[in-house]
Amino acid sequence: QVQLVESGGGLVQAGGSLRLSCAASGRAFNSYAMGWFRQAAGKEREFVAAISRSGGNTGYADSAKGRFTISRDNAKNTVYLEMNSLKAEDTAVYYCAATARAYYGGRDPRSYDYWGQGTQVTASS
């Protein structure tokens, strides 16, 4: 089992930047592939970015490419999501997720078994 706690959300003007962190506790962090998802009010949860156990493989939603960067520090048991050039449409609750079932979890939320509580990101236009 792993417990996930997100932090770093907040209110930012459109065009600004935020860095989200997701701290993991429990079983060895490098046993888990990680992902970031988001859910805007009234919408379904959607994929943002994913990273493999070692950090060597990453993937992004089209909406995140070129603006967001996912990374991880296995020594600190933490995964990050650096978000630049934020837009109003990026406003959502952001969740990190973990899976031990695969080296790389990908974009399907059903691939992930553990979820954090989420952190709110609001980009005002």
Side-chain angles (χ1 to χ4, degrees), residues 3-32:
Q3 294 76 43
L4 305 173
V5 179
E6 302 96 335
S7 61
L11 175 63
V12 64
Q13 286 191 333
S17 299
L18 282 174
R19 187 176 81 155
L20 305 184
S21 299
C22 173
S25 61
R27 186 179 159 190
F29 183 61
N30 59 7
S31 298
Y32 294 92

PDB file of all heavy atoms in Angstrom, residues 3-32:
ATOM      1  N   GLN A   3       0.435   5.662   0.425  1.00  0.00           N
ATOM      2  CA  GLN A   3      -0.403   6.827   0.691  1.00  0.00           C
ATOM      3  C   GLN A   3       0.165   8.021  -0.063  1.00  0.00           C
ATOM      4  O   GLN A   3       1.382   8.223  -0.072  1.00  0.00           O
ATOM      5  CB  GLN A   3      -0.466   7.135   2.193  1.00  0.00           C
ATOM      6  CG  GLN A   3      -1.173   6.073   3.020  1.00  0.00           C
ATOM      7  CD  GLN A   3      -0.334   4.831   3.263  1.00  0.00           C
ATOM      8  OE1 GLN A   3       0.859   4.935   3.565  1.00  0.00           O
ATOM      9  NE2 GLN A   3      -0.939   3.663   3.109  1.00  0.00           N
ATOM     10  N   LEU A   4      -0.709   8.776  -0.672  1.00  0.00           N
ATOM     11  CA  LEU A   4      -0.300   9.891  -1.527  1.00  0.00           C
ATOM     12  C   LEU A   4      -0.895  11.199  -1.002  1.00  0.00           C
ATOM     13  O   LEU A   4      -2.095  11.254  -0.715  1.00  0.00           O
ATOM     14  CB  LEU A   4      -0.772   9.651  -2.959  1.00  0.00           C
ATOM     15  CG  LEU A   4      -0.335   8.337  -3.609  1.00  0.00           C
ATOM     16  CD1 LEU A   4      -1.020   8.153  -4.952  1.00  0.00           C
ATOM     17  CD2 LEU A   4       1.178   8.303  -3.767  1.00  0.00           C
ATOM     18  N   VAL A   5      -0.065  12.219  -0.909  1.00  0.00           N
ATOM     19  CA  VAL A   5      -0.520  13.531  -0.455  1.00  0.00           C
ATOM     20  C   VAL A   5      -0.009  14.593  -1.424  1.00  0.00           C
ATOM     21  O   VAL A   5       1.203  14.788  -1.561  1.00  0.00           O
ATOM     22  CB  VAL A   5      -0.027  13.837   0.965  1.00  0.00           C
ATOM     23  CG1 VAL A   5      -0.499  15.224   1.396  1.00  0.00           C
ATOM     24  CG2 VAL A   5      -0.524  12.780   1.950  1.00  0.00           C
ATOM     25  N   GLU A   6      -0.949  15.278  -2.076  1.00  0.00           N
ATOM     26  CA  GLU A   6      -0.600  16.348  -3.011  1.00  0.00           C
ATOM     27  C   GLU A   6      -0.474  17.681  -2.282  1.00  0.00           C
ATOM     28  O   GLU A   6      -1.127  17.906  -1.261  1.00  0.00           O
ATOM     29  CB  GLU A   6      -1.658  16.499  -4.101  1.00  0.00           C
ATOM     30  CG  GLU A   6      -1.928  15.265  -4.929  1.00  0.00           C
ATOM     31  CD  GLU A   6      -3.113  14.471  -4.422  1.00  0.00           C
ATOM     32  OE1 GLU A   6      -3.432  14.583  -3.214  1.00  0.00           O
ATOM     33  OE2 GLU A   6      -3.721  13.740  -5.214  1.00  0.00           O
ATOM     34  N   SER A   7       0.343  18.553  -2.848  1.00  0.00           N
ATOM     35  CA  SER A   7       0.471  19.915  -2.350  1.00  0.00           C
ATOM     36  C   SER A   7       0.918  20.811  -3.491  1.00  0.00           C
ATOM     37  O   SER A   7       1.319  20.318  -4.555  1.00  0.00           O
ATOM     38  CB  SER A   7       1.479  19.994  -1.195  1.00  0.00           C
ATOM     39  OG  SER A   7       2.755  19.581  -1.628  1.00  0.00           O
ATOM     40  N   GLY A   8       0.842  22.115  -3.261  1.00  0.00           N
ATOM     41  CA  GLY A   8       1.343  23.071  -4.245  1.00  0.00           C
ATOM     42  C   GLY A   8       0.288  23.759  -5.072  1.00  0.00           C
ATOM     43  O   GLY A   8       0.604  24.636  -5.881  1.00  0.00           O
ATOM     44  N   GLY A   9      -0.971  23.366  -4.905  1.00  0.00           N
ATOM     45  CA  GLY A   9      -2.026  24.032  -5.648  1.00  0.00           C
ATOM     46  C   GLY A   9      -2.267  25.437  -5.127  1.00  0.00           C
ATOM     47  O   GLY A   9      -1.721  25.845  -4.106  1.00  0.00           O
ATOM     48  N   GLY A  10      -3.092  26.184  -5.859  1.00  0.00           N
ATOM     49  CA  GLY A  10      -3.409  27.536  -5.438  1.00  0.00           C
ATOM     50  C   GLY A  10      -4.029  28.340  -6.547  1.00  0.00           C
ATOM     51  O   GLY A  10      -4.425  27.798  -7.587  1.00  0.00           O
ATOM     52  N   LEU A  11      -4.110  29.628  -6.305  1.00  0.00           N
ATOM     53  CA  LEU A  11      -4.677  30.572  -7.267  1.00  0.00           C
ATOM     54  C   LEU A  11      -3.542  31.305  -7.977  1.00  0.00           C
ATOM     55  O   LEU A  11      -2.642  31.836  -7.313  1.00  0.00           O
ATOM     56  CB  LEU A  11      -5.579  31.560  -6.535  1.00  0.00           C
ATOM     57  CG  LEU A  11      -6.168  32.711  -7.355  1.00  0.00           C
ATOM     58  CD1 LEU A  11      -7.081  32.186  -8.442  1.00  0.00           C
ATOM     59  CD2 LEU A  11      -6.895  33.689  -6.440  1.00  0.00           C
ATOM     60  N   VAL A  12      -3.585  31.326  -9.288  1.00  0.00           N
ATOM     61  CA  VAL A  12      -2.547  31.979 -10.076  1.00  0.00           C
ATOM     62  C   VAL A  12      -3.194  32.671 -11.261  1.00  0.00           C
ATOM     63  O   VAL A  12      -4.241  32.221 -11.752  1.00  0.00           O
ATOM     64  CB  VAL A  12      -1.478  30.963 -10.532  1.00  0.00           C
ATOM     65  CG1 VAL A  12      -2.084  29.937 -11.470  1.00  0.00           C
ATOM     66  CG2 VAL A  12      -0.284  31.647 -11.145  1.00  0.00           C
ATOM     67  N   GLN A  13      -2.608  33.759 -11.706  1.00  0.00           N
ATOM     68  CA  GLN A  13      -3.125  34.422 -12.902  1.00  0.00           C
ATOM     69  C   GLN A  13      -2.798  33.603 -14.141  1.00  0.00           C
ATOM     70  O   GLN A  13      -1.773  32.895 -14.186  1.00  0.00           O
ATOM     71  CB  GLN A  13      -2.514  35.808 -13.034  1.00  0.00           C
ATOM     72  CG  GLN A  13      -3.073  36.813 -12.039  1.00  0.00           C
ATOM     73  CD  GLN A  13      -2.661  38.234 -12.363  1.00  0.00           C
ATOM     74  OE1 GLN A  13      -1.625  38.452 -12.974  1.00  0.00           O
ATOM     75  NE2 GLN A  13      -3.466  39.195 -11.938  1.00  0.00           N
ATOM     76  N   ALA A  14      -3.647  33.703 -15.113  1.00  0.00           N
ATOM     77  CA  ALA A  14      -3.382  33.046 -16.392  1.00  0.00           C
ATOM     78  C   ALA A  14      -2.014  33.487 -16.902  1.00  0.00           C
ATOM     79  O   ALA A  14      -1.659  34.668 -16.812  1.00  0.00           O
ATOM     80  CB  ALA A  14      -4.459  33.377 -17.402  1.00  0.00           C
ATOM     81  N   GLY A  15      -1.241  32.510 -17.391  1.00  0.00           N
ATOM     82  CA  GLY A  15       0.117  32.774 -17.830  1.00  0.00           C
ATOM     83  C   GLY A  15       1.154  32.469 -16.769  1.00  0.00           C
ATOM     84  O   GLY A  15       2.353  32.427 -17.066  1.00  0.00           O
ATOM     85  N   GLY A  16       0.696  32.262 -15.540  1.00  0.00           N
ATOM     86  CA  GLY A  16       1.598  31.979 -14.441  1.00  0.00           C
ATOM     87  C   GLY A  16       1.983  30.513 -14.358  1.00  0.00           C
ATOM     88  O   GLY A  16       1.625  29.703 -15.223  1.00  0.00           O
ATOM     89  N   SER A  17       2.703  30.189 -13.283  1.00  0.00           N
ATOM     90  CA  SER A  17       3.236  28.836 -13.099  1.00  0.00           C
ATOM     91  C   SER A  17       2.960  28.327 -11.689  1.00  0.00           C
ATOM     92  O   SER A  17       2.838  29.117 -10.743  1.00  0.00           O
ATOM     93  CB  SER A  17       4.754  28.830 -13.334  1.00  0.00           C
ATOM     94  OG  SER A  17       5.073  29.237 -14.639  1.00  0.00           O
ATOM     95  N   LEU A  18       2.863  27.013 -11.597  1.00  0.00           N
ATOM     96  CA  LEU A  18       2.766  26.335 -10.308  1.00  0.00           C
ATOM     97  C   LEU A  18       3.522  25.017 -10.399  1.00  0.00           C
ATOM     98  O   LEU A  18       3.630  24.439 -11.482  1.00  0.00           O
ATOM     99  CB  LEU A  18       1.306  26.028  -9.939  1.00  0.00           C
ATOM    100  CG  LEU A  18       0.421  27.148  -9.407  1.00  0.00           C
ATOM    101  CD1 LEU A  18      -1.012  26.654  -9.260  1.00  0.00           C
ATOM    102  CD2 LEU A  18       0.938  27.698  -8.102  1.00  0.00           C
ATOM    103  N   ARG A  19       4.021  24.564  -9.259  1.00  0.00           N
ATOM    104  CA  ARG A  19       4.612  23.232  -9.196  1.00  0.00           C
ATOM    105  C   ARG A  19       3.869  22.421  -8.157  1.00  0.00           C
ATOM    106  O   ARG A  19       3.864  22.779  -6.972  1.00  0.00           O
ATOM    107  CB  ARG A  19       6.096  23.263  -8.861  1.00  0.00           C
ATOM    108  CG  ARG A  19       6.722  21.880  -8.980  1.00  0.00           C
ATOM    109  CD  ARG A  19       8.210  21.872  -8.755  1.00  0.00           C
ATOM    110  NE  ARG A  19       8.564  21.866  -7.343  1.00  0.00           N
ATOM    111  CZ  ARG A  19       9.714  21.393  -6.869  1.00  0.00           C
ATOM    112  NH1 ARG A  19      10.614  20.907  -7.701  1.00  0.00           N
ATOM    113  NH2 ARG A  19       9.968  21.433  -5.577  1.00  0.00           N
ATOM    114  N   LEU A  20       3.252  21.350  -8.606  1.00  0.00           N
ATOM    115  CA  LEU A  20       2.575  20.430  -7.700  1.00  0.00           C
ATOM    116  C   LEU A  20       3.539  19.346  -7.253  1.00  0.00           C
ATOM    117  O   LEU A  20       4.402  18.904  -8.021  1.00  0.00           O
ATOM    118  CB  LEU A  20       1.370  19.791  -8.392  1.00  0.00           C
ATOM    119  CG  LEU A  20       0.337  20.734  -8.998  1.00  0.00           C
ATOM    120  CD1 LEU A  20      -0.824  19.923  -9.561  1.00  0.00           C
ATOM    121  CD2 LEU A  20      -0.134  21.749  -7.994  1.00  0.00           C
ATOM    122  N   SER A  21       3.369  18.916  -6.023  1.00  0.00           N
ATOM    123  CA  SER A  21       4.147  17.813  -5.475  1.00  0.00           C
ATOM    124  C   SER A  21       3.201  16.742  -4.969  1.00  0.00           C
ATOM    125  O   SER A  21       2.091  17.036  -4.513  1.00  0.00           O
ATOM    126  CB  SER A  21       5.036  18.287  -4.318  1.00  0.00           C
ATOM    127  OG  SER A  21       5.948  19.269  -4.736  1.00  0.00           O
ATOM    128  N   CYS A  22       3.657  15.517  -5.028  1.00  0.00           N
ATOM    129  CA  CYS A  22       2.894  14.400  -4.488  1.00  0.00           C
ATOM    130  C   CYS A  22       3.871  13.536  -3.689  1.00  0.00           C
ATOM    131  O   CYS A  22       4.755  12.907  -4.284  1.00  0.00           O
ATOM    132  CB  CYS A  22       2.239  13.602  -5.600  1.00  0.00           C
ATOM    133  SG  CYS A  22       1.429  12.085  -5.050  1.00  0.00           S
ATOM    134  N   ALA A  23       3.706  13.551  -2.386  1.00  0.00           N
ATOM    135  CA  ALA A  23       4.577  12.790  -1.509  1.00  0.00           C
ATOM    136  C   ALA A  23       3.959  11.437  -1.211  1.00  0.00           C
ATOM    137  O   ALA A  23       2.770  11.346  -0.866  1.00  0.00           O
ATOM    138  CB  ALA A  23       4.808  13.560  -0.209  1.00  0.00           C
ATOM    139  N   ALA A  24       4.766  10.406  -1.325  1.00  0.00           N
ATOM    140  CA  ALA A  24       4.287   9.044  -1.114  1.00  0.00           C
ATOM    141  C   ALA A  24       4.912   8.440   0.129  1.00  0.00           C
ATOM    142  O   ALA A  24       6.084   8.678   0.419  1.00  0.00           O
ATOM    143  CB  ALA A  24       4.615   8.183  -2.327  1.00  0.00           C
ATOM    144  N   SER A  25       4.128   7.671   0.836  1.00  0.00           N
ATOM    145  CA  SER A  25       4.638   6.935   1.992  1.00  0.00           C
ATOM    146  C   SER A  25       4.153   5.503   1.904  1.00  0.00           C
ATOM    147  O   SER A  25       3.144   5.208   1.265  1.00  0.00           O
ATOM    148  CB  SER A  25       4.158   7.577   3.292  1.00  0.00           C
ATOM    149  OG  SER A  25       2.744   7.563   3.365  1.00  0.00           O
ATOM    150  N   GLY A  26       4.879   4.620   2.541  1.00  0.00           N
ATOM    151  CA  GLY A  26       4.505   3.220   2.496  1.00  0.00           C
ATOM    152  C   GLY A  26       5.562   2.409   1.777  1.00  0.00           C
ATOM    153  O   GLY A  26       6.755   2.624   1.952  1.00  0.00           O
ATOM    154  N   ARG A  27       5.098   1.526   0.926  1.00  0.00           N
ATOM    155  CA  ARG A  27       5.980   0.619   0.195  1.00  0.00           C
ATOM    156  C   ARG A  27       6.940   1.384  -0.699  1.00  0.00           C
ATOM    157  O   ARG A  27       6.699   2.526  -1.052  1.00  0.00           O
ATOM    158  CB  ARG A  27       5.105  -0.324  -0.630  1.00  0.00           C
ATOM    159  CG  ARG A  27       5.842  -1.419  -1.351  1.00  0.00           C
ATOM    160  CD  ARG A  27       4.874  -2.285  -2.115  1.00  0.00           C
ATOM    161  NE  ARG A  27       5.526  -3.027  -3.177  1.00  0.00           N
ATOM    162  CZ  ARG A  27       4.885  -3.695  -4.108  1.00  0.00           C
ATOM    163  NH1 ARG A  27       3.567  -3.708  -4.112  1.00  0.00           N
ATOM    164  NH2 ARG A  27       5.519  -4.339  -5.052  1.00  0.00           N
ATOM    165  N   ALA A  28       8.029   0.772  -1.121  1.00  0.00           N
ATOM    166  CA  ALA A  28       9.083   1.406  -1.906  1.00  0.00           C
ATOM    167  C   ALA A  28       8.523   2.204  -3.076  1.00  0.00           C
ATOM    168  O   ALA A  28       7.851   1.665  -3.955  1.00  0.00           O
ATOM    169  CB  ALA A  28      10.040   0.336  -2.408  1.00  0.00           C
ATOM    170  N   PHE A  29       8.835   3.480  -3.089  1.00  0.00           N
ATOM    171  CA  PHE A  29       8.266   4.389  -4.083  1.00  0.00           C
ATOM    172  C   PHE A  29       8.646   3.981  -5.487  1.00  0.00           C
ATOM    173  O   PHE A  29       7.842   4.126  -6.422  1.00  0.00           O
ATOM    174  CB  PHE A  29       8.745   5.804  -3.768  1.00  0.00           C
ATOM    175  CG  PHE A  29       8.184   6.854  -4.671  1.00  0.00           C
ATOM    176  CD1 PHE A  29       6.820   7.077  -4.735  1.00  0.00           C
ATOM    177  CD2 PHE A  29       9.014   7.647  -5.460  1.00  0.00           C
ATOM    178  CE1 PHE A  29       6.285   8.049  -5.558  1.00  0.00           C
ATOM    179  CE2 PHE A  29       8.500   8.624  -6.282  1.00  0.00           C
ATOM    180  CZ  PHE A  29       7.121   8.833  -6.330  1.00  0.00           C
ATOM    181  N   ASN A  30       9.847   3.473  -5.685  1.00  0.00           N
ATOM    182  CA  ASN A  30      10.264   3.117  -7.040  1.00  0.00           C
ATOM    183  C   ASN A  30       9.599   1.838  -7.548  1.00  0.00           C
ATOM    184  O   ASN A  30       9.905   1.375  -8.646  1.00  0.00           O
ATOM    185  CB  ASN A  30      11.782   3.019  -7.137  1.00  0.00           C
ATOM    186  CG  ASN A  30      12.378   1.991  -6.200  1.00  0.00           C
ATOM    187  OD1 ASN A  30      11.657   1.244  -5.542  1.00  0.00           O
ATOM    188  ND2 ASN A  30      13.684   1.950  -6.123  1.00  0.00           N
ATOM    189  N   SER A  31       8.689   1.280  -6.760  1.00  0.00           N
ATOM    190  CA  SER A  31       7.869   0.163  -7.225  1.00  0.00           C
ATOM    191  C   SER A  31       6.621   0.641  -7.967  1.00  0.00           C
ATOM    192  O   SER A  31       5.882  -0.183  -8.515  1.00  0.00           O
ATOM    193  CB  SER A  31       7.417  -0.695  -6.044  1.00  0.00           C
ATOM    194  OG  SER A  31       8.505  -1.254  -5.368  1.00  0.00           O
ATOM    195  N   TYR A  32       6.402   1.948  -7.971  1.00  0.00           N
ATOM    196  CA  TYR A  32       5.155   2.497  -8.499  1.00  0.00           C
ATOM    197  C   TYR A  32       5.383   3.381  -9.714  1.00  0.00           C
ATOM    198  O   TYR A  32       6.247   4.265  -9.700  1.00  0.00           O
ATOM    199  CB  TYR A  32       4.442   3.334  -7.438  1.00  0.00           C
ATOM    200  CG  TYR A  32       3.961   2.528  -6.268  1.00  0.00           C
ATOM    201  CD1 TYR A  32       4.757   2.376  -5.140  1.00  0.00           C
ATOM    202  CD2 TYR A  32       2.729   1.908  -6.301  1.00  0.00           C
ATOM    203  CE1 TYR A  32       4.327   1.617  -4.074  1.00  0.00           C
ATOM    204  CE2 TYR A  32       2.281   1.147  -5.230  1.00  0.00           C
ATOM    205  CZ  TYR A  32       3.083   1.003  -4.126  1.00  0.00           C
ATOM    206  OH  TYR A  32       2.639   0.248  -3.061  1.00  0.00           O
TER     207      TYR A  32
END
